[in-house]
Amino acid sequence: MRYKRKDAAAILCSAILMISLMISCKTQPPSDLAGANLIPEPATVNATGGWFELGEKTTISYRDGSEEVRSIATYLGGRINPSTGYNLQPVATQEPGKNSIYLELLTDNSTGDEGYILDITKDLVKLSASAPAGLFRGVQTIMQLLPPSIEEKSVQETKWQIPTGSINDRPDYAYRGLMLDVARHFFNVEEVKTLIDQISYYKINVLHLHLSDDQGWRIEIKSWPKLTEVGGKTEVGGGEGGFFTQEQYSDLVKYAAARYITIVPEIDMPGHTNAALASYAELNCNGKATELYTGTEVGFSTFCTKKEITYKFIDDVVREISAITPGPYFHIGGDESHSTKKEDYIPFVNRVQEIVASHGKQVIGWDDIAISTLKPNTIAQHWANIKNANMAVAQGAKILMSPATKAYTDMQYDSTSKFGLHWAAYIEVDSAYIWDPAQFTPGIEKQNIIGIEAPLWAETISNSDEIEYLVFPRLPGYAEIGWTSPSKRNWEDYRNRLAAQAPRFRAWGIDFYESPKVDWNPALK
C-alpha cells in the first residue's frame, strides 16, 4: 500500500505540474498600451490590458467606397508583409470581421484633418478618422505599437502583438516640418524619398526644399535653361552638384503626397543668388555674369532689384514651380541679403509677394522679410531676429517657429560632433526637445504660430548617412513638439521612449548619433 500511495502521489504531482505548465503557456502577461513607446505622445490613451495578435490569417480591411483609403490600407500591408512573411492585401467591406485591422472614414469632422481614433480589442484593430491624412497618421501609430522587428526587411520569428485599449489623438500644430538644403550639397531623388519615409513615421507633414543658393540651382526652369546647365553643376567644395528635372520634382511631390506630406519649394532671393547670377548676366546690375561659388560665406550676392528683367525672371520661376507644386506655399527666402540696400530690399519683397500671390500661392519667408509690408496671409519663418518676428506679428502675419538655437539640425551636438556647425549653439538631444514654441520668443504666443520646422543646412554634409547623423535622434523630438500638447511632454519620459526607438533606427539602417543624454543600452541589447 505504501508503494501505491507513493505512486499515486507521484502521479498527482506530475498532473499538477503539467496543468501548471499548460496554464503558464496559455497565460500571457498583461499589456500596457499607456506605456507604449510612442513618438509623438498621443493626446489620450486608455489601456485594457490585453493583446491583439497579428497572424497570417489577419485581414486588412477598409470600408468600401474609398480609393484613397484602399491606398492607405495597401501601404500598411506593404509595411507589415516583409518582416512577418504574410501576404496581407486590403479587402473592401462594409463591416469589420474578427481578426482584422479595419480602416474607416468618419462621416463627421470630429477628429479634424489629421486626428484619428484607434480602438484595439483582442479581435479587432479599428482605425477611424475624419480625413485620409488622419488614417495615415494612425497607421504610423499602429506600426509603432508592433514590435520593433516589424521594421526589418526580412522575415522575423516573433509574436506580432499590439496592446489593447484606445487612443484618441490629434496634433497641437497644423504645420510640422523639416527643411532640407539641397543647394549647398545636392541630394538626389532616392535620398530625398528615403528622408520622406523617415519623417512620415513621426507624423511630420511638411518637407521644405531649399532649392537655390549661392552654391547651386537645383530645379529645372524650362524658360531659363542655363540655371541648371550652369548654376546646377557645382556645390560646396567643388563637387559635381546636380538638379531635379521638373519630372523628378513632380515625382517627389507625388511621393510625399502619398504620405500626406506637403512639399514647400524655396527660391531664395534677393540674396543667396550667386548660382542664378552666374547663369544669367542680365540679372546683375553690371550686366556681367559672376563666377560660380563653392564656399560657405553668406551675404555677398543680390539680384539687381531695379531691373524689370529680374521680375520677369522671378515670375517665370514662380510660375513654373507653382504649376507642379499642388501645396499652398511658396518660400521666397529673403534672409541675409546684406548686399541689398534696405531701400531696394523693401520694394523688392513687396513686389515678389504680389508675384507669388498671382500664381495662387501663399508666401513664406525668413523673418528678415518683416521689414517690408507683408501681405495679410504671408508667413514669417522665425529663425534669429526677435525684432523682425515681432514686426511680422504686428502686421498680422503668422509665425513658423525655427529658432536656430533650438531647431537647426545642422548645429553640432557638442564640440566632438563629426558634422555640423555651431555658430548658433551646440544642440544636444535634450536641448532640442526642452522648449515650447509658444513660450520661447517674447511677443509670440500660441495664436500667432502655425507650427514648427527644423531646418537642415548642408554646408558640412553630402550624403544620406550624414543627413541621418544630424537629423536623428533630434527629429522625433521636433515631431513631438509639433504634435503633442506641452502639458504632456516631459524630458525624462521622452528620453526613455526615444531610447526604445533605437532598434527601429537600426532596422532602417539609420546612422544615428548615440547621444550620451539617452540610455540606449536596454533597447540595443
Side-chain angles (χ1 to χ4, degrees):
M1 290 293 292
R2 286 183 299 170
Y3 294 107
K4 289 183 179 179
R5 284 176 183 162
K6 285 183 179 179
D7 291 343
I11 291 169
L12 179 60
C13 287
S14 296
I16 291 171
L17 179 60
M18 289 182 67
I19 292 169
S20 298
L21 287 171
M22 289 172 67
I23 292 172
S24 66
C25 287
K26 290 182 178 179
T27 302
Q28 295 182 23
S31 70
D32 182 14
L33 183 64
N37 295 302
L38 297 174
I39 300 177
E41 177 76 8
T44 63
V45 181
N46 294 296
T48 55
W51 297 97
F52 172 90
E53 186 161 340
L54 183 73
E56 61 183 349
K57 293 184 179 179
T58 301
T59 60
I60 298 177
S61 57
Y62 64 98
R63 180 168 291 173
D64 195 12
S66 173
E67 179 64 22
E68 194 166 1
V69 177
R70 187 198 66 79
S71 294
I72 297 170
T74 301
Y75 166 87
L76 176 59
R79 292 286 302 280
I80 288 174
N81 290 335
S83 55
T84 63
Y86 306 150
N87 184 28
L88 306 185
Q89 302 298 324
V91 177
T93 180
Q94 288 304 314
E95 294 294 334
K98 286 188 176 182
N99 193 20
S100 177
I101 300 175
Y102 181 68
L103 281 58
E104 68 169 357
L105 283 178
L106 301 171
T107 57
D108 57 32
N109 194 38
S110 56
T111 68
D113 292 339
E114 292 185 281
Y116 63 92
I117 300 168
L118 187 59
D119 290 309
I120 307 162
T121 68
K122 67 182 182 65
D123 296 320
L124 176 68
V125 176
K126 184 179 180 182
L127 176 61
S128 309
S130 300
L135 291 178
F136 188 84
R137 307 297 176 227
V139 161
Q140 309 313 314
T141 300
I142 292 172
M143 292 301 298
Q144 287 195 33
L145 290 172
L146 285 161
S149 53
I150 196 70
E151 304 299 339
E152 298 286 352
K153 295 179 175 65
S154 60
V155 175
Q156 307 293 303
E157 296 298 330
T158 190
K159 287 185 176 181
W160 304 109
Q161 294 177 322
I162 300 174
T164 60
S166 63
I167 295 175
N168 196 320
D169 201 11
R170 65 171 62 203
D172 202 34
Y173 289 102
Y175 187 121
R176 306 172 309 281
L178 178 79
M179 188 213 80
L180 178 63
D181 170 15
V182 296
R184 269 53 176 268
H185 280 98
F186 180 66
F187 301 96
N188 64 34
V189 169
E190 292 308 312
E191 289 172 316
V192 177
K193 284 184 176 180
T194 296
L195 185 62
I196 288 170
D197 284 329
Q198 292 166 349
I199 68 177
S200 71
Y201 190 76
Y202 295 101
K203 301 181 175 70
I204 294 292
N205 67 352
V206 175
L207 178 62
H208 166 186
L209 293 176
H210 184 78
L211 293 166
S212 69
D213 214 297
D214 292 315
Q215 299 86 353
W217 186 282
R218 305 304 182 200
I219 185 167
E220 175 190 24
I221 303 298
K222 294 183 185 298
S223 56
W224 297 77
K226 287 198 291 184
L227 289 170
T228 49
E229 291 172 6
V230 177
K233 68 180 184 181
T234 192
E235 60 187 15
V236 167
E240 64 181 10
F243 64 92
F244 302 123
T245 66
Q246 291 195 8
E247 291 73 22
Q248 289 172 325
Y249 176 83
S250 296
D251 179 49
L252 280 176
V253 168
K254 183 179 179 181
Y255 191 85
R259 288 144 185 79
Y260 297 89
I261 290 175
T262 298
I263 297 292
V264 174
E266 179 188 354
I267 299 298
D268 209 344
M269 53 184 136
H272 288 282
T273 47
N274 191 76
L277 300 174
S279 302
Y280 286 98
E282 57 266 44
L283 300 176
N284 295 276
C285 287
N286 63 6
K288 296 180 180 180
T290 61
E291 296 294 322
L292 289 170
Y293 182 67
T294 60
T296 60
E297 296 299 318
V298 300
F300 62 88
S301 61
T302 182
F303 283 143
C304 191
T305 63
K306 294 181 179 179
K307 280 187 172 183
E308 277 304 306
I309 189 64
T310 297
Y311 300 99
K312 172 66 167 63
F313 167 81
I314 293 169
D315 185 72
D316 286 339
V317 169
V318 174
R319 171 179 54 79
E320 289 195 31
I321 296 175
S322 295
I324 54 176
T325 306
Y329 305 115
F330 194 103
H331 203 301
I332 64 171
D335 62 316
E336 298 175 323
S337 193
H338 306 317
S339 295
T340 314
K341 294 178 180 179
K342 184 176 180 180
E343 58 266 31
D344 295 330
Y345 180 91
I346 291 173
F348 174 86
V349 172
N350 290 345
R351 188 164 175 184
V352 170
Q353 288 181 88
E354 294 291 344
I355 291 171
V356 171
S358 74
H359 294 288
K361 299 301 181 183
Q362 186 174 354
V363 170
I364 304 178
W366 301 103
D367 60 30
D368 311 54
I369 68 171
I371 66 172
S372 65
T373 304
L374 301 183
K375 291 181 68 66
N377 65 348
T378 291
I379 296 165
Q381 187 164 2
H382 176 40
W383 68 284
N385 193 307
I386 295 174
K387 181 180 178 182
N388 284 345
N390 281 289
M391 287 173 60
V393 169
Q395 294 189 65
K398 292 294 185 182
I399 300 296
L400 177 58
M401 290 295 289
S402 299
T405 56
K406 287 290 186 179
Y408 269 33
T409 58
D410 59 302
M411 292 297 105
Q412 292 173 285
Y413 295 96
D414 60 27
S415 61
T416 68
S417 295
K418 55 185 177 180
F419 301 110
L421 304 169
H422 59 265
W423 59 264
Y426 292 113
I427 306 178
E428 249 293 359
V429 177
D430 56 345
S431 179
Y433 180 80
I434 305 171
W435 63 286
D436 179 357
Q439 301 290 328
F440 187 76
T441 302
I444 300 178
E445 300 177 355
K446 179 73 178 289
Q447 64 266 25
N448 308 125
I449 300 171
I450 66 162
I452 171 179
E453 183 175 280
L456 176 60
W457 302 101
E459 289 95 334
T460 68
I461 58 173
S462 60
N463 59 56
S464 286
D465 283 346
E466 294 165 5
I467 288 176
E468 291 165 358
Y469 176 84
L470 290 175
V471 170
F472 289 95
R474 287 184 285 206
L475 178 97
Y478 296 131
E480 183 153 301
I481 291 170
W483 183 279
T484 304
S485 169
S487 64
K488 290 185 66 64
R489 293 198 286 110
N490 174 278
W491 164 248
E492 290 303 322
D493 171 65
Y494 172 74
R495 68 191 290 271
N496 292 328
R497 287 183 285 120
L498 181 60
Q501 300 295 305
R504 298 178 191 268
F505 295 163
R506 291 284 170 86
W508 294 331
I510 286 179
D511 182 25
F512 71 100
Y513 165 69
E514 293 186 29
S515 168
K517 301 287 185 177
V518 178
D519 183 9
W520 305 100
N521 289 331
L524 292 175
K525 284 180 180 176

